Amino acid sequence: MLVSLGEHCDFLGGFAFKSQDLKEPYGIPVIKIKNVNDGVVNLDDAQFFSVEKMSRKLERFLLADGDVLIAMTGQGSVGRVGRFRNINNQKVLLNQRVGKFLPKESLDLGYLYYILSSEKFEKMLFNAASGSGQPNLSPDIIKSIKIPYLPKNEQIYVAEVLGKLDEKIELNKQTNNTLEQMAQALFKSWFVDFDAVVDNALAAGNPIPDELAHRVEIRRKVQALPDFQPLPEHIHSLFSSEFEQTGEPTVGIGGWVPKGWSAMSLGDVTEELRRGISPKYTDEGGFQVINQKCIRNHEVNYALSRRNDPTLRKVDGREIKVGDVLVNSTGVGTLGRLAQVYTLPEPTVVDSHVTVVRPNSQICPIYFFGQLMVIKEKSIESLGEGSTGQTELSRRVLAEQLVLVPPYEQAMLLEEHLKSMSDKSSQNLKQNSALAKLRDTLLPKLISGEMNIKDTKECNGYNYR
């Protein structure tokens, strides 16, 4: 049975904050349209409202764990639905043009989330928006949307079944986040902070530049800890015990680098550095095309890709490879985001808003290069040229960026370890893709009554009990 959303749900639009209200460096995060993405609500790049200015009238715009939100404005964003998870029980406020659903007793919030975040209903909401240049959804339009209605106990059951899949997806995401943090911490210690070289210099009694005095202080404190374990001798012996000046203040620490290391441009350590194609999109067949939406949190989300018709736009020789680093190259807020390709489910290209950076593996090992680019991400974000709405990252500017490259045998020390982590991350991503497809397949079957998982313990190998 289909019912209008407004019969079983009220709706609250966000508060109209002024731009000057959101210039605090810290305080209460404010959820804006950009924070509603891919079924979730995140606090990435959130702006803050002063805690001191918090008033009673703003309390109704505070978010609670599990709240379902919708983006109400913007080409490419209107109709996006996400669920807010308030793990730390912090205060978070809702900005205007982001709406919050307030289900009545007859409608389960989890069930509503799965209905509205499905591809079918997000498209329906997008198509219902009015306005060509800046499409908008009004509360009345949103409440007029027809949704499938089930008895409350069945709604709860549907949300419970799909929630089990999402819990596993979230666990895999957390595991990948931990793996990435471990990889970055190890890479930073060896190849950014030069800990092994500082240790060797201290042991040899060699002079250490004043610019590295803070690293010397940190390493002495670390070495004094009762559980300190030095690197194995065969690893330590590969690192220098001296530093030298490069003359490039942006490289190393104040221009100082371990002896024997080289400051090189990205153009010199890569085989390819190019933009993607301008696709001719098709709904069926063709080549998978990665766009900027697919690149987030250092991962490539193939579920958000589109298809190119190769009969209208040739892609010969433009396919990406495992090990390529993809860099978003257009627009404030997206420019500079990057991810390394760990796995390719099928032949794939990128569109013209993404730059492919392919390492020369004879100079810079593939997975080492991926971590090197992650370290450069913040500086790459600042390289955009042009007006605010049309900011671009040129290939020339990116190719000119200096990176610090150690001798090959030192870079290879971490390569197998980094590859092992990336392989584990890839397996988790593959499983998440399968789980998401299963979730999306189950939803219409559960709603229609075609499938009743109460009578089964497993479905497609995934346990619900």
Side-chain angles (χ1 to χ4, degrees):
M1 178 173 67
L2 293 177
V3 300
S4 63
L5 183 57
E7 291 179 49
H8 299 273
C9 186
D10 292 323
F11 189 80
L12 174 68
F15 182 75
F17 290 99
K18 297 178 180 178
S19 58
Q20 57 264 34
D21 291 333
L22 304 180
K23 293 184 177 179
E24 300 294 330
Y26 54 85
I28 302 175
V30 176
I31 295 298
K32 307 182 82 171
I33 289 171
K34 67 177 181 179
N35 302 109
V36 182
N37 274 298
D38 305 334
V40 300
V41 178
N42 60 66
L43 296 177
D44 296 347
D45 302 319
Q47 293 180 286
F48 297 93
F49 181 74
S50 173
V51 176
E52 288 76 17
K53 294 181 180 179
M54 184 69 183
S55 63
R56 281 187 174 275
K57 80 173 182 178
L58 282 177
E59 289 182 0
R60 66 192 294 254
F61 300 101
L62 287 170
L63 297 179
D65 183 48
D67 278 345
V68 178
L69 310 181
I70 182 171
M72 300 172 64
T73 298
Q75 189 70 41
S77 57
V78 68
R80 287 197 311 233
V81 172
R83 196 167 196 186
F84 176 65
R85 306 314 316 220
N86 198 354
I87 299 173
N88 299 319
N89 197 31
Q90 66 183 124
K91 289 184 177 180
V92 178
L93 287 163
L94 191 65
N95 194 45
Q96 62 181 336
R97 306 313 301 161
V98 181
K100 170 181 171 180
F101 294 97
L102 303 170
K104 299 176 183 177
E105 184 61 30
S106 57
L107 187 62
D108 178 70
L109 187 60
Y111 174 79
L112 175 64
Y113 164 69
Y114 284 111
I115 292 294
L116 296 182
S117 62
S118 66
E119 184 178 2
K120 173 184 176 181
F121 278 88
E122 284 206 336
K123 283 184 177 178
M124 186 183 296
L125 288 162
F126 177 83
N127 291 332
S130 60
S132 55
Q134 187 77 329
N136 289 280
L137 281 171
S138 68
D140 287 341
I141 290 176
I142 294 171
K143 289 194 287 187
S144 71
I145 295 293
K146 300 283 187 180
I147 64 169
Y149 183 76
L150 300 174
K152 182 72 174 289
N153 63 321
E154 294 183 27
Q155 295 176 33
I156 293 172
Y157 175 70
V158 169
E160 181 183 286
V161 169
L162 301 181
K164 293 293 184 184
L165 295 174
D166 275 342
E167 286 176 8
K168 177 57 178 172
I169 290 173
E170 182 58 31
L171 180 61
N172 284 343
K173 287 181 178 179
Q174 291 175 8
T175 299
N176 281 4
N177 186 50
T178 299
L179 288 170
E180 182 182 19
Q181 289 177 357
M182 291 169 59
Q184 289 180 7
L186 191 55
F187 185 90
K188 187 173 184 294
S189 172
W190 288 18
F191 299 107
V192 178
D193 295 333
F194 313 139
D195 288 341
V197 183
V198 171
D199 288 354
N200 284 348
L202 288 172
N206 291 336
I208 300 178
D210 290 343
E211 287 84 350
L212 279 82
H214 66 293
R215 295 305 312 165
V216 171
E217 183 180 350
I218 290 172
R219 291 308 295 168
R220 282 177 171 156
K221 288 179 179 179
V222 169
Q223 291 174 358
L225 295 174
D227 58 349
F228 171 71
Q229 293 184 346
L231 291 173
E233 180 56 33
H234 72 280
I235 293 179
H236 247 304
S237 63
L238 287 176
F239 285 94
S240 172
S241 61
E242 300 177 68
F243 291 91
E244 58 187 5
Q245 177 61 249
T246 65
E248 297 285 353
T250 61
V251 175
I253 300 177
W256 290 93
V257 303
K259 191 172 182 179
W261 292 29
S262 303
M264 303 177 69
S265 70
L266 273 179
D268 288 334
V269 299
T270 55
E271 291 182 352
E272 287 194 35
L273 201 157
R274 58 171 171 79
R275 289 285 192 102
I277 67 169
S278 298
K280 296 295 184 181
Y281 288 117
T282 179
D283 292 330
E284 296 181 3
F287 262 70
Q288 182 169 247
V289 182
I290 295 298
N291 55 61
Q292 293 196 130
K293 292 181 182 179
C294 301
I295 301 168
R296 181 178 289 274
N297 299 324
H298 303 148
E299 293 180 349
V300 180
N301 184 350
Y302 294 103
L304 299 177
S305 64
R306 298 179 67 183
R307 317 292 302 184
N308 172 69
D309 185 342
T311 65
L312 299 177
R313 180 70 70 200
K314 295 187 180 301
V315 299
D316 297 346
R318 309 289 287 180
E319 299 93 334
I320 60 175
K321 298 180 179 180
V322 170
D324 287 351
V325 174
L326 310 182
V327 184
N328 285 355
S329 301
T330 302
V332 175
T334 55
L335 187 148
R337 286 202 316 242
L338 57 82
Q340 188 165 37
V341 177
Y342 291 152
T343 182
L344 279 170
E346 61 177 286
T348 304
V349 295
V350 300
D351 75 11
S352 59
H353 300 295
V354 177
T355 301
V356 178
V357 186
R358 180 170 300 160
N360 183 335
S361 60
Q362 301 303 309
I363 299 174
C364 205
I366 288 174
Y367 297 97
F368 177 94
F369 182 77
Q371 292 301 315
L372 189 66
M373 289 294 287
V374 169
I375 292 294
K376 293 286 294 182
E377 185 174 40
K378 285 298 181 185
S379 62
I380 292 174
E381 288 176 0
S382 66
L383 299 176
E385 301 174 320
S387 60
T388 302
Q390 301 295 326
T391 306
E392 295 284 339
L393 173 63
S394 77
R395 288 170 291 175
R396 175 188 57 79
V397 170
L398 186 57
E400 290 172 351
Q401 297 309 297
L402 294 177
V403 293
L404 184 59
V405 181
Y408 193 79
E409 65 271 16
Q410 293 180 25
M412 283 298 294
L413 287 172
L414 274 187
E415 187 67 0
E416 283 304 313
H417 191 56
L418 294 174
K419 183 181 184 302
S420 175
M421 289 183 174
S422 73
D423 288 345
K424 291 176 183 176
S425 177
S426 294
Q427 288 302 315
N428 288 337
L429 289 173
K430 287 179 181 178
Q431 187 179 61
N432 278 2
S433 178
L435 289 168
K437 287 179 180 177
L438 177 59
R439 177 196 62 204
D440 297 341
T441 301
L442 285 177
L443 178 60
K445 292 183 177 182
L446 288 169
I447 291 172
S448 66
E450 178 183 345
M451 178 175 287
N452 185 348
I453 306 181
K454 290 179 180 178
D455 299 327
T456 66
K457 289 186 176 180
E458 295 184 3
C459 178
N460 287 15
Y462 298 103
N463 200 329
Y464 294 103
R465 296 290 183 182

